[in-house]
Amino acid sequence: MTNIRSRTDKSVRIFFFSVALASIAILFMIMIFLFMEGIPIFKKISIYDFIFGKFWYPTSSPPDFGILPLIIASIAVTLVSAAISIPLGVMTAIYLAELAHRRIAELIKPVVELLAALPSVVIGFFGMVIVAPFLQETFGIPTGLNLFNAALMLSFMSVPTICSISEDAIYSVPVALKEGSLALGATHWETLIRVIIPASISGISTAVILGMSRAIGETMVVLMVAGGAAMIPESLFDPVRPMPASIAAEMAEAPFRGDHYYALFATGIVLFMFTMLFNVIADHVTHKYRQTGEASL
Amino acid sequence: MRKRNWIAGVIITAVIFTSSMAFAGNIAINGSTTVLPIAQKVAEAFMKEHPDTAISISGGGSGNGIKSLIDKTTDIANSSRAIKKEESEQAKAKGSNPVEFIVAFDCIVPIVHTSNPLKNITLDQLKAMYQGEIRNWKEIGGADKPIVVISRDTSSGTYEVWEEKVMKKERVFPRALLQASNGAIVQAVSKNPNAIGYIGLGYMDNSVKMLSVNGITGSKETTLNKSFPVSRPLYMYTPAQPGGDVKKFLDYMISKKGQKLVEEEGFIPLN
């Protein structure tokens, strides 16, 4: 009897182990593929010239493969979108977890999460058809397809991520901490600012970083609304071409295993490095500043 | 639209590759990515009518297609330019005698917002705009508004025509906006009174305004009589006078049915 049970136990464990292993294997295979297809470009151009080159003319002869404008565009779009989505997301989370009536919270929460369910192409279309003409007319700028529009659309996409992870973090702050603070005579506001937010800061940071990593990798939205000019932006309303947009626009028709093709994969490697960096930081923050008990505050 | 066809084409090609053993006839087509969507569309229709013929298509660029024609690794080479003299000599040295077929025409027209008073533009003005030398509409007789230049991704066939016929191989300046399809350019131009873009004639609709170039309006007629400056023929080459399945396919290509598909893809048919 015990024999059968332990055997079942073992086989179930092996089954789950192999399932877990499969996703790791897939990740590694994709990584190997990415590097195999991207590295050959560095026979033609040095890594330095690739990353810091200011001109991206992959099909002219002789071609220029400098992705600095694309990298700067990605970073700029992500930072501007973070500046919009962090206050929005975190404040919504605080409101939902601490201030809102249960009834209202139950109404708002699904709506915010629904924002995450909107397909990115729909958000992109909204940005292109509604927001771009609006920006053009309101600010009198030459084109509404620009850095700001893209950042705004991206922040719509990262708000749900930031909000729901932050809310979980705030929600899981031990009640005793809050009650202790209130018992000492602190107001609700003081408790919120001095106790609850510091206690959940690691969770909130993770939320912010994951939200930004979502923004930097997003493709459809930036392809549709960022404008696509491969130049280093000088103002908030300049058109830009982030890395994913460049890859998506050009990959379909780049000659298979040509220099342009390799250069696009190499751009993919750079992008992958960025998202990996974000994830490593998020992981580090979660572990290092984890709220392990009520005493560690 | 072209992109989706491209994906469909790859899938079909893959399926054909894996199952080609069962078929009798086999046609390999290689070359220009501009001609690719036409070749794919017509090949699909052709294979439906001739289920015993398998056609595999790949698009490695015009130069690549002609190179494989010289090396005799393909039955048909697609090209968006005429074969060069050296290439044809190379082919003859290797014992083949390339035969040219014009299968369609490409006609690219500049478009602006419907509120733009401009009607005509010269090739030189277009070039200066896309090089960033003319930046305001008033410089060419329009309103005092900045020009927003919209271009295509550099690997598209549409861009290739533009680069060749308008830019004369010069680079489009980095400030130009990029859109990934003809449809997206129409969309962007129709929403922006400052914009100028270019599209294949087949994608033209009422939401935008077409400009004539050097006084000539882009149309089927001006393309076919070669007076419209931003147009070019698209070619298919065979290594010798074609026979059998290859001949059948090329006949189908220039037949009414084939040319109707050409028109559906946004190109100018021969008749």
Side-chain angles (χ1 to χ4, degrees), chain A residues 55 57-60 62 64 125 128-129 133 136 141-143 145 227-231 234 238-239 241 249-250 252-253 260, chain B residues 3 6 33 60 146 148 153-157 159 163 171-180 184 187-188 191-194:
Chain A
F55 296 101
Y57 284 101
T59 54
S60 58
D64 266 333
F125 197 68
M128 198 170 183
V129 177
Q136 266 161 232
I141 44 174
T143 175
L145 300 174
M231 62 165 194
E234 288 152 10
D238 272 347
R241 186 185 321 173
E250 294 165 31
E253 292 179 86
H260 187 191
Chain B
K3 211 145 269 179
W6 183 85
T33 48
V148 172
D153 48 296
T154 49
S155 31
S156 68
Y159 175 83
E163 190 188 31
R171 292 173 165 189
V172 170
F173 77 132
R175 225 165 217 283
L177 271 66
L178 168 139
Q179 293 293 339
Q187 184 64 250
K191 296 283 172 199
N192 191 338
N194 307 321

Side-chain angles (χ1 to χ4, degrees), chain B residues 24-161:
Chain B
N26 231 327
I27 306 176
I29 304 179
N30 188 6
S32 164
T33 48
T34 315
V35 191
L36 191 69
I38 309 178
Q40 252 151 19
K41 195 98 186 221
V42 176
E44 280 168 36
F46 182 79
M47 284 189 285
K48 226 176 242 168
E49 289 185 21
H50 303 84
D52 53 338
T53 310
I55 303 176
S56 61
I57 308 172
S58 49
S62 301
N64 221 327
I66 290 175
K67 193 172 165 288
S68 48
L69 186 81
I70 296 167
D71 298 338
K72 294 183 190 166
T73 52
T74 188
D75 300 311
I76 298 175
N78 294 337
S79 179
S80 55
R81 56 169 172 81
I83 191 167
K84 287 178 192 156
K85 218 178 147 205
E86 309 91 69
E87 288 168 336
S88 133
E89 274 161 14
Q90 274 178 37
K92 276 177 192 147
K94 291 208 175 180
S96 54
N97 190 16
V99 185
E100 178 181 297
F101 295 86
I102 291 177
V103 294
F105 283 88
D106 223 354
C107 169
I108 310 297
V109 294
I111 53 168
V112 292
H113 192 258
T114 44
S115 72
N116 196 316
L118 209 66
K119 287 200 171 70
N120 179 52
I121 195 164
T122 67
L123 271 183
D124 292 334
Q125 286 171 339
L126 276 176
K127 187 181 174 196
M129 272 185 185
Y130 275 81
Q131 280 186 308
E133 281 158 13
I134 297 180
R135 296 202 179 194
N136 196 305
W137 286 107
K138 75 176 175 199
E139 289 175 55
I140 55 165
D144 182 9
K145 282 190 294 193
I147 299 176
V148 172
V149 172
I150 306 182
S151 186
R152 279 291 305 278
D153 48 296
T154 49
S155 31
S156 68
T158 315
Y159 175 83
E160 210 176 84
V161 185

Side-chain angles (χ1 to χ4, degrees), chain A residues 268-279:
Chain A
I269 296 176
V270 174
L271 187 60
F272 173 68
M273 300 281 192
F274 270 101
T275 45
M276 194 164 75
L277 184 74
F278 277 130
N279 280 287

Side-chain angles (χ1 to χ4, degrees), chain A residues 186-203:
Chain A
T187 62
H188 194 175
W189 170 247
E190 285 166 338
T191 308
L192 197 61
I193 293 295
R194 301 271 173 81
V195 178
I196 293 175
I197 292 177
S200 54
I201 198 71
S202 89

Side-chain angles (χ1 to χ4, degrees), chain A residues 216-270:
Chain A
I216 202 170
E218 170 53 38
T219 306
M220 204 60 210
V221 165
V222 291
L223 180 63
M224 291 172 84
V225 303
M231 62 165 194
I232 296 168
E234 288 152 10
S235 101
L236 199 55
F237 295 119
D238 272 347
V240 290
R241 186 185 321 173
M243 289 181 275
S246 196
I247 298 174
E250 294 165 31
M251 185 51 93
E253 292 179 86
F256 182 63
R257 301 239 156 107
D259 288 345
H260 187 191
Y261 172 93
Y262 290 136
L264 289 176
F265 267 97
T267 312
I269 296 176
V270 174

Side-chain angles (χ1 to χ4, degrees), chain A residues 5-277:
Chain A
R5 288 183 64 178
S6 80
R7 216 179 299 152
T8 324
D9 223 33
K10 206 173 167 189
S11 52
V12 165
R13 196 168 60 223
I14 289 171
F15 173 72
F16 276 87
F17 175 71
S18 40
V19 169
L21 205 64
S23 58
I24 293 175
I26 288 167
L27 174 70
F28 268 93
M29 261 145 61
I30 292 175
M31 261 175 68
I32 289 168
F33 175 73
L34 186 64
F35 279 87
M36 258 171 49
E37 301 292 291
I39 288 195
I41 190 65
F42 298 119
K43 285 181 200 149
K44 293 272 163 67
I45 176 173
S46 72
I47 295 182
Y48 181 87
D49 287 342
F50 182 70
I51 292 178
F52 293 102
K54 287 202 184 86
F55 296 101
W56 174 253
Y57 284 101
T59 54
S60 58
S61 50
D64 266 333
F65 295 111
I67 63 164
L68 186 66
L70 315 185
I71 295 177
I72 290 183
S74 273
I75 294 174
V77 163
T78 308
L79 287 183
V80 176
S81 100
I84 302 168
S85 61
I86 293 172
L88 263 178
V90 174
M91 285 197 259
T92 312
I94 294 171
Y95 175 72
L96 288 178
E98 282 296 317
L99 302 173
H101 284 286
R102 187 164 292 267
R103 274 257 180 89
I104 297 175
E106 271 169 12
L107 199 74
I108 294 180
K109 216 180 153 182
V111 176
V112 172
E113 271 155 18
L114 199 67
L115 205 54
L118 274 182
S120 56
V121 66
V122 172
I123 294 186
F125 197 68
F126 174 73
M128 198 170 183
V129 177
I130 311 280
V131 181
F134 173 78
L135 288 176
Q136 266 161 232
E137 280 157 30
T138 318
F139 297 102
I141 44 174
T143 175
L145 300 174
N146 56 31
L147 204 171
F148 179 73
N149 190 347
L152 193 65
M153 294 304 116
L154 286 180
S155 58
F156 287 165
M157 305 190 68
S158 42
V159 160
T161 312
I162 295 179
C163 180
S164 62
I165 301 176
S166 301
E167 201 214 342
D168 286 345
I170 295 168
Y171 208 74
S172 58
V173 172
V175 187
L177 278 181
K178 190 179 165 186
E179 283 171 350
S181 169
L182 291 172
L184 286 170
T187 62
H188 194 175
W189 170 247
E190 285 166 338
T191 308
L192 197 61
I193 293 295
R194 301 271 173 81
V195 178
I196 293 175
I197 292 177
S200 54
I201 198 71
S202 89
I204 293 176
S205 315
T206 312
V208 165
I209 294 161
L210 290 179
M212 285 170 74
S213 124
R214 163 129 213 230
I216 202 170
E218 170 53 38
T219 306
M220 204 60 210
V221 165
V222 291
L223 180 63
M224 291 172 84
V225 303
M231 62 165 194
I232 296 168
E234 288 152 10
S235 101
L236 199 55
F237 295 119
D238 272 347
V240 290
R241 186 185 321 173
M243 289 181 275
S246 196
I247 298 174
E250 294 165 31
M251 185 51 93
E253 292 179 86
F256 182 63
R257 301 239 156 107
D259 288 345
H260 187 191
Y261 172 93
Y262 290 136
L264 289 176
F265 267 97
T267 312
I269 296 176
V270 174
L271 187 60
F272 173 68
M273 300 281 192
F274 270 101
T275 45
M276 194 164 75
L277 184 74

